[in-house]
Amino acid sequence: MYLSSDANVRKILIVDDSAFEQRMLVDLLSEMPYRVSVAFNGLQGYQLALSQQPDLILLDVRMPSMDGYTCCRLLKANPATHDIPVIFLSGADAAEDRIMGLSIGGVDFVSKPFTPGELAARIHVHLNLMRRAPKDAAEQPPAPALPANPDAVLVSAAKRLIADNLAALPSLSEIARSVGTYREKLSQLFREQTGMTVFAFIREERIRRGVQLLRETEIDVQDIALLIGFNNAGNFATAFRERMGVTPSAYRASGTASGAPGSPPEESGKK
């Protein structure tokens, strides 16, 4: 399975619960100058990515224990694995599946069954892009980042999920499941890591995003309200006034939106 110990050989991690799929991918990659390792679910894949620092990850979506989307969220929330390119491999070919995979940090999404030559070409392209990136920036490759505290990674992944889904937030239980934990644990970690509850963070993030949209766009207040998860402009105005001291319309009209940053101050220890 391991082709070479040469440090220049690119390392690829396969994360797939199907032994058949694993063997097919290993056979394909064994014909190329790659060093290959495998994991059987998202949690094992995440742990191997931390310890082995592969150059690229082939990640199945539907797996027991932890699915590929959850694994990718954790990979992208951890500085030590954030820059590893992830190619999703999935039997699901719906547009929403591909959009999900790309929106949470995947560089590509390949539907099963795939053509071996096409997959090999996509792997080659993304490895070359990673190899060229430091040269394009006229910099030496940075030293590998240290893994973040596991609790901080979970909270960071949950924050990104919340920020990306303000218009239609899933339940707290679903948010927790999507980052590999459960409701009570996520609530505890949010208090410890941020000094606020999950719901307080959601409120702050909605107001922060509202401020940004008022300052940087000409989107109607009613549309902004819907974009950030309020049922109507009235509810948005009430929450905005409580936090910022003025209504959204007054904030925009005052010139604050085009002048001062206008972001809500940090809320520490507020439950």
Side-chain angles (χ1 to χ4, degrees):
M1 185 176 299
Y2 290 89
L3 304 179
S4 171
S5 59
D6 188 339
N8 293 322
V9 172
R10 311 293 272 181
K11 297 180 293 183
I12 296 180
L13 171 62
I14 298 168
V15 187
D16 198 311
D17 64 318
S18 167
F20 173 78
E21 297 282 354
Q22 283 187 2
R23 175 51 55 191
M24 182 176 62
L25 289 167
V26 169
D27 288 346
L28 168 65
L29 297 175
S30 67
E31 300 175 1
M32 305 169 195
Y34 300 138
R35 189 149 49 106
V36 182
S37 56
V38 298
F40 288 90
N41 60 55
L43 180 57
Q44 186 183 33
Y46 174 62
Q47 292 169 341
L48 282 178
L50 283 171
S51 62
Q52 297 183 358
Q53 291 294 300
D55 296 292
L56 184 141
I57 299 173
L58 298 176
L59 183 58
D60 188 24
V61 173
R62 310 286 183 233
M63 293 179 289
S65 301
M66 179 184 288
D67 67 19
Y69 293 147
T70 302
C71 177
C72 187
R73 289 189 184 97
L74 296 179
L75 289 168
K76 297 307 171 182
N78 196 321
T81 53
H82 177 272
D83 293 331
I84 300 173
V86 173
I87 297 179
F88 280 103
L89 302 177
S90 177
D93 193 30
E96 54 266 29
D97 292 303
R98 297 194 299 274
I99 292 169
M100 172 68 79
L102 297 173
S103 68
I104 63 176
V107 297
D108 212 337
F109 194 104
V110 179
S111 298
K112 300 176 183 178
F114 50 80
T115 302
E118 180 186 359
L119 178 61
R122 289 174 185 263
I123 291 171
H124 182 72
V125 165
H126 291 296
L127 287 175
N128 279 345
L129 288 173
M130 286 298 294
R131 182 182 287 117
R132 285 203 303 266
K135 295 179 181 179
D136 292 342
E139 297 175 354
Q140 293 297 320
L146 295 175
N149 178 288
D151 293 344
V153 171
L154 280 175
V155 171
S156 178
K159 283 182 174 181
R160 176 173 174 180
L161 189 152
I162 290 168
D164 289 345
N165 294 276
L166 286 177
L169 273 178
S171 67
L172 180 55
S173 295
E174 180 64 16
I175 292 171
R177 189 198 64 78
S178 296
V179 296
T181 187
Y182 54 94
R183 176 189 176 113
E184 294 76 12
K185 182 66 173 179
L186 183 62
S187 296
Q188 175 190 342
L189 293 180
F190 248 85
R191 289 178 183 272
E192 293 174 355
Q193 296 287 323
T194 70
M196 68 176 75
T197 66
V198 178
F199 296 108
F201 173 78
I202 291 171
R203 183 181 66 244
E204 287 296 298
E205 183 64 17
R206 281 177 165 153
I207 297 302
R208 186 197 68 78
R209 186 70 61 80
V211 165
Q212 180 184 22
L213 291 172
L214 288 166
R215 189 174 68 239
E216 299 177 2
T217 76
E218 297 181 359
I219 299 174
D220 184 78
V221 171
Q222 171 68 36
D223 292 333
I224 289 177
L226 297 176
L227 283 172
I228 61 178
F230 288 94
N231 292 329
N232 53 62
N235 290 344
F236 174 40
T238 298
F240 193 92
R241 184 171 58 246
E242 288 177 354
R243 189 70 181 87
M244 302 297 294
V246 294
T247 66
S249 297
Y251 176 83
R252 174 175 271 171
S254 70
T256 305
S258 60
S263 297
E266 290 294 324
E267 179 173 318
S268 178
K270 191 172 182 178
K271 305 293 186 285

